[in-house]
Amino acid sequence: SIGICNAIVTPARGGPALKGGWATNILFFDYQHIPVPDANGNCVQTLRKQLKKRGVSSDVLSFRLTKGLPDEQPDACGTVYLESTWASARGLRPAEGTSFGRYVLHLPFAAAARIAHRLLSDAYTTPEKVFSWKACGRMKKKLERLCSQNRYDWVVAVSGPYCVHDIACCADLSQARLALYYFDPYSMHALFSPKNRENRMRQECKNLERADRAFASPEHREDWQTTALSHYIHKVRFVPYPNLAPDKGSPGPVPVPIAPGGVSLVYLGALHDRVRYPEPLFSLFGQMVALEPRLRLFVVGCKSGAEVGRQVRNAQQRLGEHLVCMDAVPFPQAMGLLQKADCAVNLGNCMKNQMPSKLLDYISAGKPILNLSYNRPCNTEPYIARYPWALHFYRDELEDAAGLRRAARKAVEFVLSHRGECLPWSEIQRHMQGFTAKDAAERFYAELGDV
């Protein structure tokens, strides 16, 4: 680890400068970074590592969502700063490990925080933004203090949740320029209320007026071309997820035993109603097991929604010991399980403007990938088409019994032909040129320099 890096750095400190020939000091502002980053935090951390290799230090400001964490913590790229908001105390469910007595004492504070946050919010704040920016005064002051002390050239506010953009846009950044980074859409988010879309768009346009630059994933492009966001399309740059990189940290212990002699497939990630439904995978896998009884499918991640729950329960009854379902595990453990697996499974999203970032973790690991897509065309296609160890099926190919049997034969042959193998990073890099974390970091850095 290194200490706090407040000064603008030179290329000599971390390697050759990125394309663009200038060095900068960046503060990323995200939602969940330590002790365990969420999916967006993982992307931010991979981007920071790539920038550091080329002499650019960066810090992070994030929410303190776990009690007892220090205000600041140095890492290999700079410093991670944490700040709290009283609104995080409004949860009524007991935290893991909390005694009944402490939980009872907590309830009056949680109820008061819940009422106060509701008074500062509208009906859509919690499901669409998590926090009202009005309840995050400490975070806003911390952001302003860091900008004043460290004289950042850029503040990069990472959403979702969208409260991060709101806070950054109402703060005094001490002449730092502001970039709004979208890993998730806001106005056009398929899971947010259609009734509130006009209000979301109005707020988003107001924040884009304040921003100097915006970054979004390529699958957001149509939203920016066909809505009021088009007024700010000159500010946005479409950059692939910056987490296609070989360095994912040390893998953790495998959270579930994998029987020797078996053939394992693993799906990592959440299953939600209206986002990803597992039944096409379960139906295909059932046909695969009939052809190859050694197969086991591990489904690891949170599951929510009545329909997803029904599909999982029915599949467990049909598939028995061949299907292992688990709740979410820490990222290092997930990577440990992925490394031990013979094949990774990806499910494309139902919505067209969001793509599972886990697909790039699968590719980074060099694993063969069984990819099932809901939409035709699918927003995973630019990646799957380039990756040589991928077998791709559309949902409509699995809807009749004959198609399901044909797909199962191909899938079993595919999994067995790559069993125990990993594609070397040199090969991955060659095939995925333009989509690696290195490529994304270079594009990101160059676009900051062009403002």
Side-chain angles (χ1 to χ4, degrees), residues 42 83 162 197 208 219 254 258 273 318 343 390 413 420:
N42 278 321
E83 188 53 82
Y162 196 74
R197 182 171 294 166
L208 284 166
E219 58 269 18
V254 177
I258 297 179
D273 281 3
R318 297 196 315 264
C343 182
E413 181 182 346

Side-chain angles (χ1 to χ4, degrees), residues 148-201:
S148 176
Q149 292 174 353
N150 298 346
R151 311 303 299 178
Y152 295 108
D153 296 298
W154 281 92
V155 171
V156 181
V158 179
S159 111
Y162 196 74
C163 63
V164 172
H165 283 189
D166 280 346
I167 296 167
C169 287
C170 71
D172 179 1
L173 305 181
S174 298
Q175 299 184 339
R177 288 176 172 171
L178 175 63
L180 302 181
Y181 207 137
Y182 292 83
F183 286 122
D184 299 303
Y186 180 56
S187 296
M188 304 303 293
H189 199 299
L191 299 185
F192 292 169
S193 169
K195 295 179 181 179
N196 197 41
R197 182 171 294 166
E198 187 175 332
N199 290 332
R200 290 198 303 272
M201 184 64 73

Side-chain angles (χ1 to χ4, degrees), residues 260-281:
V263 183
S264 56
L265 290 78
V266 62
Y267 171 81
L268 301 173
L271 297 171
H272 298 303
D273 281 3
R274 300 167 58 204
V275 180
R276 285 185 291 272
Y277 293 104
E279 182 53 39
L281 168 61

Side-chain angles (χ1 to χ4, degrees), residues 392-437:
H392 186 200
F393 296 111
Y394 287 101
R395 180 186 58 164
D396 56 19
E397 297 178 278
L398 308 176
E399 289 180 342
D400 63 88
L404 202 58
R405 287 193 296 269
R406 285 194 300 269
R409 286 194 295 271
K410 290 181 181 179
V412 170
E413 181 182 346
F414 171 75
V415 172
L416 295 180
S417 67
H418 293 293
R419 185 185 180 203
E421 297 181 340
C422 283
L423 192 65
W425 174 250
S426 58
E427 282 292 299
I428 298 171
Q429 198 170 22
R430 181 170 66 86
H431 286 285
M432 303 305 296
Q433 186 174 4
F435 289 84
T436 67

